[in-house]
Amino acid sequence: DVPWQMSTMLYNTVLKACANSGDLKRAVEWRGRMAETSVRVNAKTFGKIMEAAAKDADADEAMRWFGNLEADFGSNEVAATIVLDACARAGRPEDAVSWFTRMEHARQPLGDLAYSSIIHGYAVAGEPEKTVEWLLKMEAAAMQPSVICHNAVLDAFGKRGRVDSAGEWLQRMVASAVVPNESSFTTVVNASAKAEQPERAAAWLSEMERRGLQPSGVTFTAVIDSCAKVGNREE
């Protein structure tokens, strides 16, 4: 017979694969097999199912499995952060903030993932002011927001067609220790092109190339189409 610890470890390895691929349905099925074969679960078992739920952007399932974890093993900051991330991925940033507050009250450590998840959640929801608010909170907590966090701010402004604000934020990145990447410039170029501001789009495109970053064919096409639309209107 395989020792129960080994059986649990083997099942958790499968659950980890499900979590990595965001396959929540398969993760739950494997949890069912563990119950059928009387294999013991541990905190990692529930954690991996929660990770799968988060990647699947299923906040309700993440919270349900957090409840199971809390009932059997107690909660921890890692599990709470997973639920927070699930809420953000599901486009429910206010719920993510509620979990953040819950963690604060429980005096649980709040790492960069908690902040970056909320920033991403507000970007998905198209709320640029909130993305900026939480990025500044992250900085105030002595954490360095990644380029991904800054790109989320750019994306939120871009979605709202606020090209000036997106450009200002990109300039802030350039002036700071955060090095913009292809996605940073592409977001602002595409937003400028969509807003039919081809000169601004072309200027950011040139700056992108000057920095050794390679624009995609789609980005070039967006700028060309913007020029064409403005040119046709002026004729």
Side-chain angles (χ1 to χ4, degrees), residues 25-108:
K25 181 180 178 182
R26 185 65 61 84
V28 173
E29 289 175 353
W30 278 99
R31 169 63 185 95
R33 293 188 192 184
M34 293 179 75
E36 291 170 3
T37 55
S38 300
V39 175
R40 297 186 195 181
V41 299
N42 58 22
K44 287 185 178 180
T45 307
F46 293 115
K48 294 306 173 187
I49 299 174
M50 290 167 57
E51 285 181 27
K55 280 209 170 180
D56 197 40
D58 193 329
D60 292 330
E61 277 296 287
M63 285 187 270
R64 184 170 79 86
W65 285 100
F66 178 89
N68 293 335
L69 168 68
E70 191 172 38
D72 290 352
F73 302 100
S75 65
N76 57 68
E77 66 272 12
V78 174
T81 302
I82 292 172
V83 178
L84 185 159
D85 185 50
C87 292
R89 288 172 183 261
R92 293 161 54 178
E94 296 300 333
D95 287 338
V97 172
S98 294
W99 277 87
F100 185 97
T101 303
R102 171 176 171 164
M103 292 174 70
E104 274 189 320
H105 290 165
R107 298 184 181 278
Q108 293 177 326

Side-chain angles (χ1 to χ4, degrees), residues 30-196:
W30 278 99
R31 169 63 185 95
R33 293 188 192 184
M34 293 179 75
E36 291 170 3
T37 55
S38 300
V39 175
R40 297 186 195 181
V41 299
N42 58 22
K44 287 185 178 180
T45 307
F46 293 115
K48 294 306 173 187
I49 299 174
M50 290 167 57
E51 285 181 27
K55 280 209 170 180
D56 197 40
D58 193 329
D60 292 330
E61 277 296 287
M63 285 187 270
R64 184 170 79 86
W65 285 100
F66 178 89
N68 293 335
L69 168 68
E70 191 172 38
D72 290 352
F73 302 100
S75 65
N76 57 68
E77 66 272 12
V78 174
T81 302
I82 292 172
V83 178
L84 185 159
D85 185 50
C87 292
R89 288 172 183 261
R92 293 161 54 178
E94 296 300 333
D95 287 338
V97 172
S98 294
W99 277 87
F100 185 97
T101 303
R102 171 176 171 164
M103 292 174 70
E104 274 189 320
H105 290 165
R107 298 184 181 278
Q108 293 177 326
L110 289 156
D112 56 358
L113 177 59
Y115 287 91
S116 60
S117 293
I118 292 174
I119 292 167
H120 174 73
Y122 278 120
V124 171
E127 298 188 45
E129 279 79 11
K130 287 290 187 179
T131 63
V132 172
E133 176 187 334
W134 279 91
L135 188 142
L136 295 178
K137 283 184 178 182
M138 189 175 183
E139 291 180 338
M143 297 181 192
Q144 177 62 57
S146 68
V147 66
I148 294 174
C149 292
H150 285 271
N151 287 351
V153 174
L154 295 174
D155 184 57
F157 280 124
K159 283 178 178 176
R160 291 293 184 182
R162 294 175 57 181
V163 180
D164 289 345
S165 297
E168 289 170 4
W169 197 263
L170 183 53
Q171 288 176 333
R172 182 183 188 274
M173 289 177 68
V174 171
S176 71
V178 181
V179 180
N181 59 15
E182 286 89 347
S183 180
S184 309
F185 284 97
T186 297
T187 298
V188 178
V189 170
N190 288 346
S192 300
K194 188 175 181 180
E196 297 185 4

